[in-house]
Amino acid sequence: MSLLPLVAALFVTAVLFALFVASQGYPAFDALALVGKGAFGSTFAWQNTLSRAAPIMLTALCVALPARAGLLIIGGEGALALGGLAAAMVPVALAGWPVLLVQGLMALAGFVVGGGWIALSGWLRYKRGVNETISSLLLAYIGAAVFNFLVEGILRDPASLNKPSTAPIGDRYVIGAIPGMDVHWGLVWGVLVCIGAWWLMRHTVFGFAVGVAGGNPRAAQMVGLPVGRLMLMACFLGGGAAGLAGMLEVAAVHGDANADLMAGYGYAGILVSFAARHHPLGVMAGALLVGGIGASGSLLQRHLDLPDAATLVLQGMLFVSLLAFETLNRKGAQRV
Amino acid sequence: MVRFLIQPPCLRRWFSDMDGTLVGANGQTPGRDAISLAAIGVSKCFGELQALDDVSMQVDAGSFHCLLGENGAGKSTLVKCLVGYYRPDQGNFLIDGREYEVRNPRDAQHLGIGMVYQHFTLAPGLTVAENLLLARGDLPFVLDWKREKTGLSEFMAQMPFRLELGAQVADLAAGEKQKLEILKQLYLRRRLLILDEPTSVLTPAEADEVLGMLHGMTRAGQLTVLMITHKFREVTAYGDVVTVLRRGRPAGTGRVNSTSVEQMAEMMVGTHIHVAVERSQGRAPDAEPGPVRLQIEALQAENDRGTPAIRQFALQVRAGEMVGVAGVSGNGQKELIEVLLGQRAAISGNILVDGEPYQATRVQMRQHGVYSLPEEPLKNACVPGMSVAENMALRNFDLPPVSLGWETGWHVRPAQLNRRARELVEMFGVRPADPSLPIASLSGGNVQRAVLARELAQPVRLLIVANPVFGLDFAATETIHRRLAEARNGGAAILLVSEDLDELLELSDRILVMSEGVIVYEVTADSAERAVIGRYMAGHETHDKELVC
C-alpha cells in the first residue's frame, strides 16, 4: 500500500487550487497558507477541524463498509439527515427520562433509520439488480425531501419562525464538550466507531465473509455464504454510521433537526473514504484533512474575502485528482 | 518511419488487391502461398526470469507444426515475440528466408502472420459479418453493405465450414466462435497462422473438423500452421513436425510420424513419465457403488439471456462413483454447475443430496460434505484480491481452529489461517510456496492446485467438478486426475462435467451425454465408444448453421 497517489493528489490539488484562486484575482500563496493556518495553525483551528472531522469520519464509514462488500454507496447525506431527524424525535417523546438512556436511544434511532435507508439501496441491488451507486444517490435526494417535508410540516416546532426546525431536544440531553477542549464528545464516538468498524471488518468472521462476498460474489456463493444478506448488513452498518453522524450533529451542534444538518458531510465522507482506500482507520486521518479544509473557510473569507464555497472547490479538486491518481496507480500495477 | 526493411513484390501485390473487391482466399489468387518461418537464437528475459533462452526452430512453408511444452515453457512468449507483442532481447525471425523486423502486431499482420488466441477476440454484440469486416481495419467512412455482403458470401462459400453471416456472435456456441476466429484470419488472407491451444473450447468432433480443415489447407500449400497445444492426440493426428520447449529452451524436435507420444511427453517434462492410458484411473472392478448421494429431478434453469438452458434434467450420482457429463460447450453444462454451486437459481425441479432437498447453503454444504472444483477457478472459486492463505480458508474461516470465540467463532486468527495454508501448500505442491502472495499472481495450474487443496482438505462426500484441467500443463493434469480418482476411491461421489472426452473416458465410471440441456445418452465407461458418444454430443439438431444470406 503506497501513499504516493495520495501525496501526488495533494500536490496537484494545491497547484490547481492556487491557479484557481489566482485566476479569480486573489493572492494564490496567501490562500494556500491560510488553508493550512485555518485548518491546523492554532488551538482554535484544531478544535474547529476536530469538530468537523467527527461526523465526516462516520459518513466516510457509510462508503467504506459497503465498499468492503463490493458496493459503492454515495448516499450518506440522506442517511445522515433522516438519522438525525429520528434522533431528534427521541427526547421530544421521552422528555424527563435519564440523560444517558435518552442519548443511547437517540444514537440507536439514528443508527437504525440511517442504516435502514442505505440498506434499501443494498436490497435494490441484490434483489432487483439496481445499480447501488445511483440508487443511493437518488435516495439521498429523496431523503432530503422527506426530511424537509417533515421538518416543515408535522414535525415543525411552532416556535421556530425563520428557520423551520423540530422541537429543541432540551439542554439536558445536549452532548457537551470534552473537558479542557472546545470539541464535543462526538469526536470520541466517531473514533470509537471507526476502531470498532476496523476490528469488525478485519478481524472477525463477519468481516471476512463480507470481504469474500465483495471480493468475488461467485466464489462467496460457491462456498455457501449468504451474499445478499452480507451486502445488506454492510449497507446497514454503513448507513447506521451516517445516521449516527446525524444524531451527533443534532445532539452536540444544532440542538434540534433543521436544514443546516445537510451541510455536505455525507458527500465529504465519499472523498475521505476514497482517500483512505476504504480503510476504517485511514478514514480518521482523511476526516482530519477534509475537516481542516472546511474549517479554513471562515479564515479565507475574513482575510481574502473569498466566498465560503472556495473550500468546496478545494474539496472537489482533491477528490478528482485523488481518483485520477488512484486509477493511474492501479493501471501501473496491472502493467507489471 | 519506414515500416519494412524490405518490401517484397508479393506483399505489394497483396496490398494492391486489398483495395479491390475481396475475392476468396483460396488457391485462385496466385502468389498467396504459405510462407516459411525460422527463429534464430531468440532470447527473452522478464526481469530475473529467462523466458526464452536461445531458441531456434524452423517451420517449413505449408507444414503443420506443433509446439508442445508445459505451462511456463515459453511457448506463448515465443509466439508473442513472433507477432510483435514482445521484442526479443536477442535473435531474429526469418520469413520466407528473409529477415524482417517485427516491431508490433501490425507489422506481423502485414507479413501475413495471424494469430488465434486461446480466448476469443470477437465483439459479442456484433454479427458475424460485422466482426469479419471489423477485422479488416481499413474500412471506409461509409460502408457499401451490399457490396460487402456479396464479398463476404463469396468468401464464406469457399470456406470448408460456414457460419450464418447475420448471426449475433453472442449467440454462437464456443466452437462456432472459434471457427469465426479462424475464418477471420482466413478472410484477412493470413499465410502463416499461429494457434494458441485452439481446441480447448471445442469438442473432439469440432476440433477434428477445424484442425482437419486447416490441415487440408496446409496440404494445398495455402497456409502454414504453427499450433501450441497440450493434446498429444492432436499432434499425432494432424502435425507434421513437433517442437518441444522446456523451461525456455528447445527440448527436441522431430517429425511426428517418427516420434512416439512417450518420446514427446519425455521431452516435455524431462524425465520418463507414465503416459495415462484410457481407463487407467477407473474404479477397482470389485468395488460396488454405494447409496445415491446426488439426485437431480426435472431441473429447469435459464441462461444469462433468459432462454431455457436446462430442461427436465435428471441424473444420479452414487457414493464411490464418478459420473462424467460430456457435451459440446454451451449445452447447459455451465448453467448446471452454477445451479449446483448456488451461483444460479433454478426455475423448477429438485436437487436432493442424501435424499434431502439441497439449496447450496453453507450449513448444508458442511452437513452433506458437498465441495466443488469449478472451471476457471480464479473467476469462480477465488477472491483475486485476497492472499493464497485467505483463499484457502474460504471453507473454514468460521470454524475452529481458524476462528475462535463465542458461538461458532467470532475472531479470525491469522496465525492459524497461515499455518493451515502452509500445510496445504506443502501437501499439494502449490508454487510459489508463499501463502501470503495474492492468489491472482499465481499461474493457472497453481490456482487450480490451491482450490483443489482447499476443497479436498474438507471431508468430501460429494464433489462437483467442471473442466478441472482446462489449459493446465501435463504435470498439473496428472496431479489433479490422480487426486480426483483418489477421492472417488475413498468413497466420495463425483460429478465430473468436462468438454474433454479423453478426460471423461479416462476417469469416469459412467458417462452421460448432455445436449440442448438434457441427458441424451448414458453408457458405462467399459462399453463407451468414442464415435457413439460423439454422435450424441452432436445432437439431433445440427449445430452447423447453414449459410443464409
Side-chain angles (χ1 to χ4, degrees):
Chain A
M1 178 150 154
S2 150
L3 282 176
L4 194 66
L6 180 62
V7 174
L10 282 174
F11 178 75
V12 169
T13 307
V15 172
L16 284 176
F17 187 65
L19 288 174
F20 169 75
V21 171
S23 75
Q24 304 295 308
Y26 298 100
F29 289 104
D30 289 1
L32 283 178
L34 280 173
V35 170
K37 199 174 156 208
F40 309 111
S42 65
T43 319
F44 173 79
W46 266 103
Q47 287 175 352
N48 192 351
T49 299
L50 287 171
S51 301
R52 289 164 185 269
I56 292 176
M57 61 182 75
L58 287 170
T59 54
L61 289 182
C62 185
V63 182
L65 299 186
R68 182 88 172 145
L71 302 179
L72 181 52
I73 296 282
I74 58 172
E77 188 86 351
L80 179 145
L82 292 178
L85 180 62
M89 291 302 102
V90 173
V92 178
L94 305 178
W97 288 39
V99 173
L100 282 180
L101 180 66
V102 168
Q103 286 181 346
L105 287 175
M106 285 175 76
L108 187 68
F111 196 91
V112 170
V113 170
W117 196 249
I118 298 298
L120 259 181
S121 285
W123 181 81
L124 282 171
R125 161 65 192 266
Y126 186 69
K127 282 288 169 197
R128 319 277 342 145
V130 180
N131 180 308
E132 78 284 355
T133 311
I134 291 170
S135 76
S136 68
L137 181 63
L138 295 180
L139 277 173
Y141 288 113
I142 295 173
V146 169
F147 178 91
N148 286 331
F149 173 77
L150 292 174
V151 171
E152 290 168 23
I154 53 171
L155 299 182
R156 179 174 183 169
D157 176 16
S160 62
L161 295 173
N162 298 328
K163 187 165 150 194
S165 309
T166 59
I169 63 171
D171 292 344
R172 275 185 77 194
Y173 301 120
V174 167
I175 292 177
I178 303 169
M181 294 173 81
D182 195 18
V183 181
H184 60 76
W185 279 102
L187 178 67
V188 177
W189 289 48
V191 169
L192 289 179
V193 171
C194 283
I195 293 172
W198 168 76
W199 183 78
L200 181 71
M201 285 298 164
R202 306 285 155 147
H203 290 278
T204 67
V205 165
F206 171 77
F208 195 96
V210 169
V212 173
N216 185 355
R218 291 176 69 85
Q221 286 169 328
M222 175 204 153
V223 297
L225 293 175
V227 175
R229 216 157 63 220
L230 290 168
M231 279 183 178
L232 268 186
M233 280 301 291
C235 285
F236 181 79
L237 292 174
L244 196 61
M247 173 266 172
L248 289 174
E249 285 299 287
V250 166
V253 180
H254 302 293
D256 54 35
N258 63 60
D260 286 351
L261 209 52
M262 293 177 280
Y265 288 140
Y267 300 114
I270 305 168
L271 162 58
V272 168
S273 185
F274 271 88
R277 294 199 188 115
H278 311 306
H279 194 292
L281 294 182
V283 150
M284 294 195 283
L288 272 187
L289 178 68
V290 174
I293 291 176
S296 63
S298 58
L299 213 58
L300 287 177
Q301 207 167 357
R302 259 184 292 136
H303 284 261
L304 296 180
D305 211 20
L306 266 168
D308 204 30
T311 60
L312 285 181
V313 172
L314 183 52
Q315 268 190 33
M317 284 172 171
L318 182 58
F319 190 42
V320 171
S321 42
L322 201 64
L323 286 183
F325 277 101
E326 284 286 340
T327 313
L328 286 179
N329 193 41
R330 221 171 303 136
K331 265 203 189 141
Q334 275 169 1
R335 226 178 277 132
V336 172
Chain B
M1 186 185 285
V2 185
R3 262 258 146 73
F4 302 101
L5 301 179
I6 316 146
Q7 195 180 47
C10 67
L11 276 183
R12 230 173 278 134
R13 184 166 65 237
W14 184 52
F15 284 131
S16 64
D17 69 27
M18 271 302 278
D19 42 27
T21 316
L22 274 151
V23 290
N26 65 358
Q28 287 173 352
T29 329
R32 299 288 312 130
D33 296 330
I35 49 177
S36 71
L37 165 79
I40 299 165
V42 176
S43 297
K44 176 78 187 168
C45 279
F46 295 106
E48 294 283 296
L49 177 76
Q50 181 91 38
L52 287 176
D53 186 8
D54 196 21
V55 174
S56 300
M57 68 185 286
Q58 169 72 38
V59 180
D60 294 328
S63 68
F64 198 113
H65 198 111
C66 296
L67 193 54
L68 268 173
E70 290 198 292
N71 282 349
K75 298 163 301 193
S76 294
T77 311
L78 180 63
V79 296
K80 280 181 178 166
C81 286
L82 173 58
V83 298
Y85 272 104
Y86 298 145
R87 304 282 305 264
D89 299 333
Q90 273 167 33
N92 47 40
F93 293 102
L94 302 186
I95 289 147
D96 269 345
R98 294 189 190 193
E99 187 179 326
Y100 291 100
E101 196 183 358
V102 181
R103 268 174 301 213
N104 53 46
R106 194 165 285 271
D107 287 357
Q109 283 163 21
H110 287 162
L111 290 167
I113 301 170
M115 181 147 173
V116 173
Y117 297 88
Q118 211 173 341
H119 301 287
F120 299 123
T121 57
L122 300 167
L126 299 183
T127 63
V128 169
E130 286 165 337
N131 267 283
L132 287 173
L133 286 185
L134 198 63
R136 226 166 74 198
D138 62 343
L139 299 177
F141 185 68
V142 179
L143 276 176
D144 180 356
W145 270 110
K146 208 169 156 190
R147 203 185 78 169
E148 300 293 357
K149 279 247 164 93
T150 317
L152 284 169
S153 301
E154 281 169 13
F155 161 75
M156 202 60 103
Q158 290 158 348
M159 286 297 111
F161 49 72
R162 280 154 211 188
L163 293 170
E164 196 185 313
L165 281 171
Q168 286 271 316
V169 168
D171 296 334
L172 299 182
E176 293 172 321
K177 284 183 188 160
Q178 190 63 289
K179 285 181 191 167
L180 178 54
E181 290 282 5
I182 290 168
L183 282 177
K184 215 163 81 177
Q185 298 302 324
L186 297 178
Y187 180 65
L188 298 173
R189 303 166 177 217
R190 301 295 190 234
R191 301 182 299 154
L192 170 63
L193 205 51
I194 300 165
L195 305 162
D196 189 356
E197 295 181 37
T199 59
S200 55
V201 290
L202 305 187
T203 62
E206 279 178 321
D208 284 339
E209 189 188 347
V210 168
L211 294 180
M213 184 274 307
L214 290 173
H215 188 254
M217 293 186 77
T218 61
R219 285 303 86 94
Q222 299 159 5
L223 195 66
T224 309
V225 172
L226 175 60
M227 177 170 79
I228 296 178
T229 184
H230 287 315
K231 296 180 183 167
F232 292 124
R233 194 180 73 85
E234 291 168 359
V235 177
T236 50
Y238 300 102
D240 297 319
V241 183
V242 58
T243 298
V244 184
L245 287 184
R246 181 168 140 72
R247 293 187 184 162
R249 299 181 61 89
T253 188
R255 299 205 64 80
V256 170
N257 51 23
S258 58
T259 313
S260 72
V261 168
E262 285 74 18
Q263 284 172 319
M264 291 179 208
E266 207 175 312
M267 283 190 244
M268 241 169 86
V269 294
T271 50
H272 185 78
I273 52 146
H274 167 70
V275 175
V277 291
E278 281 190 10
R279 300 283 305 135
S280 68
Q281 316 242 22
R283 188 182 56 221
D286 53 326
E288 280 292 311
V292 175
R293 283 271 163 82
L294 172 68
Q295 175 148 13
I296 302 175
E297 295 167 346
L299 189 71
Q300 310 230 35
E302 290 180 341
N303 59 19
D304 289 336
R305 298 191 300 277
T307 54
I310 306 175
R311 296 185 264 194
Q312 295 297 328
F313 185 91
L315 65 71
Q316 279 189 348
V317 187
R318 292 171 176 276
E321 182 188 40
M322 187 164 341
V323 173
V325 175
V328 181
S329 80
N331 273 281
Q333 299 99 316
K334 178 168 152 270
E335 288 79 9
L336 173 68
I337 292 289
E338 286 175 344
V339 169
L340 290 175
L341 260 53
Q343 294 174 334
R344 178 180 295 274
I347 305 284
S348 63
N350 297 317
I351 299 171
L352 305 174
V353 177
D354 293 328
E356 292 172 34
Y358 178 78
Q359 288 92 23
T361 65
R362 201 165 172 83
V363 173
Q364 287 173 338
M365 285 174 187
R366 284 225 176 101
Q367 187 191 338
H368 298 294
V370 184
Y371 297 98
S372 51
L373 200 59
E375 62 184 344
E376 294 184 75
L378 197 59
K379 190 179 137 207
N380 284 308
C382 293
V383 184
M386 285 185 162
S387 69
V388 174
E390 285 169 321
N391 272 290
M392 282 183 158
L394 291 192
R395 288 289 184 188
N396 61 357
F397 68 88
D398 52 348
L399 285 182
V402 175
S403 67
L404 209 61
W406 310 259
E407 292 184 60
T408 56
W410 249 87
H411 186 232
V412 176
R413 300 192 297 175
Q416 289 291 331
L417 190 145
N418 287 323
R419 191 184 56 78
R420 249 191 92 70
R422 274 196 302 277
E423 286 172 13
L424 289 177
V425 160
E426 197 51 50
M427 217 187 301
F428 283 76
V430 180
R431 294 290 173 270
D434 178 2
S436 65
L437 292 172
I439 195 145
S441 69
L442 267 56
S443 71
N446 283 304
V447 172
Q448 188 67 289
R449 278 196 188 97
V451 173
L452 190 73
R454 177 182 85 203
E455 302 293 311
L456 292 187
Q458 310 299 320
V460 179
R461 298 180 72 243
L462 170 60
L463 194 65
I464 296 157
V465 186
N467 295 320
V469 296
F470 182 89
L472 297 194
D473 64 40
F474 198 78
T477 303
E478 275 293 299
T479 319
I480 285 163
H481 283 173
R482 189 167 45 78
R483 295 274 183 184
L484 290 178
E486 281 170 9
R488 184 261 322 275
N489 297 341
I494 300 184
L495 179 67
L496 171 64
V497 176
S498 175
E499 284 156 25
D500 184 347
L501 194 51
D502 295 324
E503 178 176 50
L504 292 171
L505 287 168
E506 184 190 329
L507 287 171
S508 33
D509 304 309
R510 203 147 56 84
I511 294 177
L512 310 177
V513 179
M514 189 169 181
S515 177
E516 314 245 316
V518 287
I519 298 290
V520 292
Y521 180 62
E522 177 173 346
V523 64
T524 60
D526 306 321
S527 47
E529 275 181 60
R530 186 182 287 272
V532 178
I533 293 177
R535 226 166 37 235
Y536 280 100
M537 282 167 73
H540 38 274
E541 291 169 31
T542 174
H543 281 267
D544 291 321
K545 295 199 172 137
E546 289 304 311
L547 183 74
V548 179
C549 268

